[in-house]
Amino acid sequence: MKPSAKPVSVTLFGAAYSVYTRSARLALIEKGVPYRFDEVHVFGPGGAPTEHLARQPFGKVPAFEHDGFALFETAAILRYVDEAFSGPALQPVDTRSRARMTQAMSVCDSYLYGHGVWGIFVERVAKAKRGEAADEQKVAASLPKVAACHAVLADILGDQDHLCGDALTLADLHAAPMLACLAMTDEGRAMMAAHPRLEKWWQRMGAWPAMVQTRAGTDV
Ligand SMILES: N[C@@H](CCC(=O)N[C@@H](CS)C(=O)NCC(=O)O)C(=O)O
């Protein structure tokens, strides 16, 4: 008798174009966890479909389920994926490196997403695709915040191979999809070029197979 294929017990509800969904996919890929990708579109005129609000009451993606255990909020999903499955550890053991990882992820959530993805990428790239003009005031207001994010991430990176040490951690997975959006803008590339070590890290991350596998056509 042939051994049966391992059943897929993980479902990720999200959108390929979403940076947060992409972070969760990167973690699943890195851990080697097979998963079902259930595409949910949240930016349509009515927002998230009603059934999605039962999974994510704020109407955002991603949402996650493993063997009947439902979870939302990307940082929580990433930690769960790392701890629930075998595969390479994605969190440092050392207390201070772990704190830095949490700090880097929080900087991404609190400043890089709003100012980098929405304040610059959406204004410059997404709006241009729709034939709309960028809101220059919004871009100008976001630039110093995004520059500060780059400086903080470059500082955390130091001369290590990855953001929080010599191995890949959740911080790398959280930051890379947002920086991929910024890499599509002149402003983002200029800010990255101001931090040569961060730029080198980004070049490695951008070419990493899981990043290539999760390209959505809207990013690198
Ligand atoms: N705090 C949430 C943020 C997720 C989030 O903002 N996702 C975006 C897509 S990248 C979204 O669903 N936006 C829909 C909306 O704002 O209506 C998390 O960590 O999962």
Side-chain angles (χ1 to χ4, degrees):
M1 208 167 111
K2 273 190 188 168
S4 57
K6 211 170 141 195
V8 174
S9 57
V10 168
T11 304
L12 187 71
F13 302 90
Y17 54 75
S18 146
V19 294
Y20 280 108
T21 302
R22 193 176 187 188
S23 291
R25 294 176 76 194
L26 295 178
L28 289 162
I29 293 168
E30 187 60 20
K31 296 294 280 192
V33 179
Y35 66 101
R36 199 167 70 87
F37 187 38
D38 196 327
E39 290 257 3
V40 177
H41 297 288
V42 289
F43 290 116
T50 313
E51 71 272 15
H52 187 65
L53 297 176
R55 301 177 200 117
Q56 218 291 9
F58 304 98
K60 312 240 179 211
V61 286
F64 169 94
E65 197 184 301
H66 174 218
D67 274 341
F69 176 68
L71 192 64
F72 64 88
E73 287 303 303
T74 305
I77 296 169
L78 295 186
R79 286 196 170 89
Y80 178 84
V81 168
D82 185 37
E83 291 167 21
F85 300 100
S86 55
L90 298 176
Q91 299 176 82
V93 190
D94 159 61
T95 303
R96 291 186 178 186
S97 302
R98 229 173 154 90
R100 283 281 175 248
M101 182 193 77
T102 304
Q103 182 187 25
M105 291 168 78
S106 189
V107 165
C108 291
D109 286 334
S110 304
Y111 316 107
L112 190 59
Y113 181 63
H115 291 292
V117 176
W118 283 94
I120 299 181
F121 167 77
V122 169
E123 290 302 322
R124 287 279 182 248
V125 180
K127 278 192 167 179
K129 274 194 183 147
R130 299 197 295 261
E132 293 171 29
D135 177 340
E136 295 298 339
Q137 280 189 341
K138 197 168 175 182
V139 173
S142 287
L143 282 172
K145 309 278 186 198
V146 180
C149 291
H150 281 79
V152 168
L153 292 176
D155 197 35
I156 289 176
L157 175 70
D159 59 3
Q160 308 174 111
D161 279 352
H162 293 89
L163 281 179
C164 299
D166 289 327
L168 190 83
T169 72
L170 302 182
D172 301 285
L173 309 189
H174 215 59
M178 297 185 192
L179 291 169
C181 290
L182 277 163
M184 296 179 71
T185 68
D186 291 343
E187 289 91 343
R189 286 190 291 272
M191 282 186 280
M192 184 64 88
H195 301 282
R197 286 202 198 112
L198 188 68
E199 191 177 36
K200 268 195 154 172
W201 165 88
W202 162 244
Q203 281 161 359
R204 284 198 311 274
M205 282 306 292
W208 177 45
M211 281 291 281
V212 174
Q213 199 182 318
T214 54
R215 278 182 190 162
T218 50
D219 50 20
V220 289

